Amino acid sequence: MIPDEIKTDRSTNPQGDPGTKTVFIKSYGCQMNVYDSQRMADTLAPAGYVETSSPDNADLVILNTCHIREKAAEKVYSEIGRLRVARDERRRAGGDMQIAVAGCVAQAEGEEILRRAPAVDLVVGPQTYHRLPDLIAKARSAKPVDTEFPIEDKFAVLPAPRREKTLARGPSAFVTVQEGCDKFCTFCVVPYTRGAETSRPVASIVAEVERLAGAGVREISLLGQNVNAYHGEGPDGRAWTLGELVHRLARIDPITRLRYTTSHPRDMDDSLIEAHRDLPALMPFLHLPVQSGSDRILDVMNRKHTSAEYLRLIEKIRHARPDMAFSSDFIVGFPGESDADFEATLRLIEEVSYVSAYSFKYSPRPGTPGAGMADQIDEEVKAERLARLQSLTEGQQKAFNHASIGRTMDVLFDRKGKHPGQIAGRSPYLQAVQVEADESLIGTVAPVEITTTGAWSLHGIVSGTTLREKVA
Ligand code: 5AD
Ligand code: SF4
């Protein structure tokens, strides 16, 4: 689920207008960081910052970091090294550049970042980035580190972006509805970096989605580390489930697509499964990580379910919505994973048949129970298991794509295509789809008959005349 380094959209001021300050934000890791990076840009806009597409001409560079695996965290330090060189060059030319580290590495390592990377001017955690304008001002005389879990709700104080900014970010938007996690899987740093589960109130989410819809957004992906544990306060004072929230959001016109990620199998309650049965806007695609197919490993991972329970759940969701397709995360080489445990994972994958999958070698994270477990697995064994698992899941993905030929699927067009005259979008299953069609279709959903598949995308032709109206 993790496109590794996503630079946030920057729609204005690519050259760096001398009258304004420029900020370059680089997101690592999950979609929640992409959302947070956009909100950081929103919070800096009233202070005169516009986004720029390169760190070289930026007055401020923010690295919005990920701590989930060791590699992700280490990348941040190499990037700071590169930025220090760019900053020194700018200083020699009479300019300057401030460097900020945000996100989960900031939360986990705090002051340690300043010791290890003295070029950094400020450190800000995921719960306090609404204070960025203040922190930037403070950073001129000291090096502030703000990794608090504050009492104020950042979502209540973050400024909304201007309408043009929302439009420039495209017809598909993320909205964080839940943060933190109480599950404590033994491999995972999230409960430590993002803290306990908290949910935004329904009214605040509805207002944000209405604003996005009004600016032309057609697809909302609700985000949370454990999104289906959502329990935000509803207008009636009760804690609402994610199923109830999705029902409410589906009434907002003209939102045509809803998604949510990432879910824990234990929190797929009946209201959410019913939402899949009842709401055409809720896409028939679910990222439902299982991590392993071995009950013994699931138990030591503290996943709180067996493989049979997971398979029964998949059945139940497919029963509610027969065209449902699934993706998952997998970890290979968790401490103590035997050949037989690994084979059980392959069997589960064969049974479910995923349309996409994200798989990782186990990476011991300091402070998590897994890191201290005996029977750590050799890197070579991990690599060999990862290659076998990926060849199986890639085969399933290819087969699914191939089976799409001849089908007509709704596609939300969100960008220009690879070649002139082409536009591109996403199917309900997040497959990339390219068609030859007019750019005016970008921002709309249209039925596409799939004709061929390429290495990473499908190709098709816009079919019929039932295009849904574009509002932008
Ligand atoms: N090692 C490897 N993969 C991990 N993930 C989380 N923690 C680790 C770790 N320590 C993977 C899980 C999770 C995804 C976001 O990252 O599969 O679902
Ligand atoms: Fe980490 Fe997800 Fe487990 Fe929470 S449920 S501890 S976020 S893997």
Side-chain angles (χ1 to χ4, degrees):
M1 62 167 309
I2 298 183
D4 231 338
E5 288 172 23
I6 310 149
K7 296 180 188 112
T8 50
D9 158 73
R10 64 217 58 88
S11 48
T12 45
N13 200 40
Q15 308 309 321
D17 174 342
T20 51
K21 287 170 280 183
T22 52
V23 56
F24 173 77
I25 309 178
K26 183 164 177 175
S27 277
Y28 297 79
C30 66
Q31 291 100 327
M32 288 190 70
N33 269 9
V34 177
Y35 175 81
D36 286 344
S37 294
Q38 291 179 347
R39 301 308 305 257
M40 285 179 205
D42 298 341
T43 208
L44 289 169
Y49 282 91
V50 290
E51 284 185 83
T52 178
S53 55
S54 152
D56 300 329
N57 63 356
D59 299 306
L60 170 65
V61 174
I62 303 176
L63 303 179
N64 193 12
T65 62
C66 172
H67 200 240
I68 198 99
R69 285 171 294 277
E70 191 182 355
K71 252 195 189 158
E74 283 307 314
K75 272 188 190 166
V76 176
Y77 288 102
S78 351
E79 185 65 32
I80 296 170
R82 282 192 289 275
L83 287 174
R84 187 173 48 77
V85 176
R87 185 205 60 184
D88 290 349
E89 246 165 57
R90 287 196 74 183
R91 282 189 178 165
R92 277 195 291 278
D96 204 358
M97 172 199 284
Q98 286 185 300
I99 302 173
V101 176
C104 292
V105 175
Q107 189 66 44
E109 298 193 358
E111 299 269 352
E112 175 61 23
I113 297 176
L114 297 180
R115 272 191 289 279
R116 203 172 145 185
V120 171
D121 295 291
L122 76 100
V123 176
V124 58
Q127 300 310 330
T128 44
Y129 61 77
H130 56 292
R131 298 177 181 164
L132 263 171
D134 271 357
L135 292 167
I136 290 165
K138 280 193 190 129
R140 298 191 201 287
S141 52
K143 294 195 172 205
V145 174
D146 190 346
T147 52
E148 256 188 69
F149 284 89
I151 27 169
E152 80 265 18
D153 169 12
K154 66 174 181 280
F155 295 114
V157 294
L158 281 166
R162 294 204 323 273
R163 190 170 186 273
E164 313 84 77
K165 185 79 197 171
T166 302
L167 279 172
R169 286 175 180 161
S172 188
F174 297 132
V175 174
T176 291
V177 300
Q178 180 278 340
E179 288 186 280
C181 182
D182 295 342
K183 287 284 186 299
F184 290 92
C185 300
T186 52
F187 52 81
C188 186
V189 286
V190 166
Y192 310 96
T193 51
R194 292 272 180 161
E197 268 172 35
T198 55
S199 299
R200 282 174 76 179
V202 172
S204 148
I205 298 163
V206 168
E208 186 169 343
V209 173
E210 280 175 344
R211 181 183 59 71
L212 290 165
V217 167
R218 294 292 165 270
E219 175 176 79
I220 301 283
S221 298
L222 305 176
L223 302 180
Q225 266 98 22
N226 189 5
V227 71
N228 57 346
Y230 177 83
H231 57 274
E233 187 188 356
D236 52 6
R238 240 180 358 95
W240 280 28
T241 63
L242 187 66
E244 289 172 291
L245 176 69
V246 167
H247 270 96
R248 172 67 189 83
L249 298 179
R251 293 199 342 244
I252 298 175
D253 204 30
I255 291 294
T256 50
R257 290 182 160 190
L258 290 168
R259 305 178 182 277
Y260 57 91
T261 197
T262 289
S263 299
H264 191 288
R266 276 289 292 261
D267 292 318
M268 284 304 298
D269 67 7
D270 286 345
S271 78
L272 193 50
I273 298 176
E274 280 159 20
H276 279 288
R277 183 194 63 199
D278 298 338
L279 301 174
L282 189 56
M283 290 293 98
F285 177 64
L286 179 59
H287 184 63
L288 196 61
V290 66
Q291 315 293 357
S292 168
S294 151
D295 287 345
R296 207 176 60 77
I297 295 294
L298 286 170
D299 186 40
V300 245
M301 283 178 165
N302 191 29
R303 290 291 292 178
K304 307 176 205 295
H305 63 78
T306 62
S307 60
E309 282 163 345
Y310 178 84
L311 291 170
R312 268 202 299 279
L313 177 61
I314 295 264
E315 268 317 294
K316 195 169 168 186
I317 303 168
R318 279 195 170 132
H319 185 73
R321 176 109 199 215
D323 59 348
M324 197 78 189
F326 295 89
S327 70
S328 174
D329 294 338
F330 298 96
I331 295 179
V332 299
F334 188 76
E337 185 187 69
S338 66
D339 285 340
D341 293 321
F342 176 64
E343 295 296 332
T345 302
L346 297 182
R347 277 201 302 280
L348 179 137
I349 294 172
E350 264 160 12
E351 192 140 342
V352 175
S353 196
Y354 292 96
V355 302
S356 59
Y358 304 87
S359 40
F360 313 98
K361 290 190 273 185
Y362 172 65
S363 161
R365 305 306 288 130
T368 60
M373 285 180 189
D375 300 329
Q376 298 285 330
I377 305 294
D378 272 6
E379 284 303 308
E380 255 173 53
V381 175
K382 286 183 195 170
E384 188 247 322
R385 287 181 185 164
L386 187 69
R388 276 184 70 195
L389 189 149
Q390 289 183 342
S391 119
L392 179 60
T393 53
E394 278 165 22
Q396 292 185 339
Q397 181 165 13
K398 278 197 191 126
F400 183 76
N401 285 346
H402 196 73
S404 304
I405 295 174
R407 279 180 75 176
T408 296
M409 296 199 255
D410 275 353
V411 172
L412 172 60
F413 293 106
D414 56 3
R415 60 193 184 280
K416 290 183 193 168
K418 268 191 248 154
H419 304 291
Q422 281 190 341
I423 59 170
R426 298 266 167 198
S427 78
Y429 305 106
L430 290 179
Q431 296 154 295
V433 182
Q434 309 261 348
V435 300
E436 313 271 323
D438 194 81
E439 276 179 29
S440 62
L441 283 188
I442 295 176
T444 68
V445 175
V448 170
E449 189 191 331
I450 305 301
T451 49
T452 53
T453 66
W456 301 112
S457 61
L458 308 178
H459 298 259
I461 40 177
V462 177
S463 66
T465 50
T466 53
L467 302 185
R468 283 170 209 164
E469 201 189 336
K470 176 177 175 173
V471 186

